[in-house]
Amino acid sequence: MVGVSTIAENILDNPVFVGLSKTEAEELASHCDILVLPSGRTVFEQGSKSESIFVLFRGSLSVSVRDMAGEDHLVGQISQGDVFGEMGVLEGQRRSASTFTAEDSVILRIPGTSFTMMVKQGHPAIHRLLQWAIRKSCQRLRDLDTRL
């Protein structure tokens, strides 16, 4: 098991959490855990309950969506530093896509209950995480607009 101080060090090294104090990073770390996954491992599946938000510390992930005919389609990549899995937690909906590791990866997992509690407390880490997620969502929409 990875300790709080090790998780806090990883949090402080991540661009999502730039500017957090060591104490703030340790507070966030006390609610989280680290997933160390080999290439090809599923992080979550489309349709599963949305119980956590994730931040990719190292590695890369692929995102796929299964259509109504049961065919899987690769629809995106998640890069180091990205927040993912936030949509389902924020909306209270099931996962809209599946994610799996494209290479060996290290992922921060923030349980949805802890996320909600820290939102109510106004924790600076959650403020930064939401800013990052909104910025990335806007970027994805602009990219989609450009393709259309």
Side-chain angles (χ1 to χ4, degrees):
M1 182 75 182
V2 177
V4 169
S5 61
T6 301
I7 296 172
E9 289 170 15
N10 279 281
I11 288 169
L12 290 170
D13 287 341
N14 191 281
V16 171
F17 301 110
V18 166
L20 284 185
S21 70
K22 184 177 179 185
T23 301
E24 292 164 339
E26 288 171 346
E27 288 169 357
L28 174 61
S30 71
H31 296 281
C32 302
D33 59 353
I34 295 281
L35 307 176
V36 180
L37 302 175
S39 180
R41 181 66 76 73
T42 299
V43 179
F44 56 75
E45 292 184 1
Q46 181 177 339
S48 64
K49 192 172 179 183
S50 300
E51 298 179 315
S52 300
I53 295 175
F54 303 87
V55 180
L56 182 60
F57 281 165
R58 280 187 280 294
S60 66
L61 306 175
S62 296
V63 181
S64 67
V65 174
R66 180 166 288 154
D67 65 22
M68 295 181 79
E71 305 252 346
D72 289 324
H73 302 276
L74 189 62
V75 296
Q77 290 290 121
I78 298 171
S79 302
Q80 186 171 325
D82 284 345
V83 175
F84 65 101
E86 76 283 0
M87 284 177 23
V89 172
L90 291 171
E91 297 176 313
Q93 300 288 320
R94 295 197 171 269
R95 299 289 183 197
S96 61
S98 297
T99 61
F100 55 94
T101 54
E103 61 183 303
D104 294 352
S105 299
V106 178
I107 302 167
L108 177 73
R109 185 176 67 87
I110 307 168
T113 53
S114 296
F115 172 81
T116 301
M117 179 197 67
M118 289 187 283
V119 165
K120 289 178 182 173
Q121 293 173 344
H123 197 282
I126 300 306
H127 180 78
R128 284 180 173 74
L129 184 140
L130 288 171
Q131 283 181 314
W132 187 274
I134 290 168
R135 195 173 310 122
K136 286 297 207 173
S137 293
C138 290
Q139 182 181 9
R140 281 186 223 128
L141 283 171
R142 287 188 188 280
D143 291 346
L144 180 60
D145 287 348
T146 301
R147 287 192 309 240
L148 296 176

